[in-house]
Amino acid sequence: MVTTLADRFLPDPDFSETHQITVRVPPEVVWAAHRAGGVTLGRPARALVAARSLIARARNGRAQSDLPTGPGAFVTLAEEAPREVVEGLVGQWWKFGASANRAEVDGPERFLDFAEPGYGKAVFCLRFLPSGDGTRIVTETRVTCTDAAARRAMGRYWLLIRPFSGFIRIMMLRDLAARARRLATTGRPEAR
């Protein structure tokens, strides 16, 4: 079995999901495209995030504040250029906008040490693997909960959001592949 950087942070997740796409561009170029534009959400994915925020407002009177949509939402836990990057987030995503549903962790050690009951610890991993004449881009999401009650709540939430989460990951992979192809042909990852 291949060891990944994500194994250091969540080796035995309670929940996980993996998606991949292959692009006929070298890993170094895909890495550069990722670095130039990060992970972006297309219009359909942004609509799903907005719908989740509407549910949060209806349920708890406030927008969802624990989503990884802005700068600094995820903390970089580990990186091995141009092969893999792992980012982490700690929260109670199943609470849909309830107060204090996100815990701040500011680095790998704080992420590893975090054990407050009632939370989930998530990692988002991107791997760039050589594949024939191109790159297989793999995204993996892993979640481990800090106690049994959180695991049950996350399990219910996972059943609800997993198809939408998968859709968002696929859209992110397609966007990154398109940016990598543009970078390889035009020298610029963004559309002109």
Side-chain angles (χ1 to χ4, degrees), residues 24 47 68 146 155 157 163 165 172-173:
R24 295 179 72 165
T146 56
Y157 177 70
S165 173
M172 289 168 30
L173 287 170

Side-chain angles (χ1 to χ4, degrees), residues 16-178:
S16 66
E17 137 178 86
T18 302
H19 298 281
Q20 59 187 330
I21 191 170
T22 301
V23 59
R24 295 179 72 165
V25 176
E28 296 77 15
V29 175
V30 180
W31 179 268
H34 171 64
R35 281 303 192 220
V39 173
T40 59
L41 298 177
R43 186 176 292 148
R46 285 193 307 269
L48 290 172
V49 170
R52 186 172 184 263
S53 194
L54 285 174
I55 292 169
R57 283 188 189 280
R59 184 171 176 185
N60 290 304
R62 67 177 58 83
Q64 190 75 16
S65 63
D66 62 359
L67 291 172
T69 56
F74 271 116
V75 61
T76 300
L77 300 175
E79 180 176 292
E80 186 181 297
R83 188 179 77 82
E84 185 174 3
V85 62
V86 179
E87 297 178 328
L89 181 71
V90 176
Q92 299 169 317
W93 310 285
W94 53 88
K95 289 191 173 182
F96 287 102
S99 63
N101 63 352
R102 181 170 158 196
E104 296 298 325
V105 293
D106 59 5
E109 291 76 23
R110 293 277 306 269
F111 183 88
L112 286 167
D113 292 343
F114 186 89
E116 184 177 330
Y119 282 86
K121 296 168 62 170
V123 295
F124 175 72
C125 176
L126 271 172
R127 288 190 295 276
F128 308 93
L129 308 172
S131 177
D133 62 349
T135 304
R136 184 166 44 106
I137 311 167
V138 179
T139 175
E140 183 177 10
T141 303
R142 298 180 182 189
V143 178
T144 294
C145 297
T146 56
D147 64 13
R151 196 167 9 276
R152 286 189 300 273
M154 182 63 196
R156 291 186 297 271
Y157 177 70
W158 190 252
L159 285 174
L160 173 68
I161 62 102
R162 187 173 184 186
F164 305 108
S165 173
F167 174 75
I168 289 170
R169 301 298 183 272
I170 291 166
M171 298 305 293
M172 289 168 30
L173 287 170
R174 288 179 182 170
D175 176 71
L176 179 54

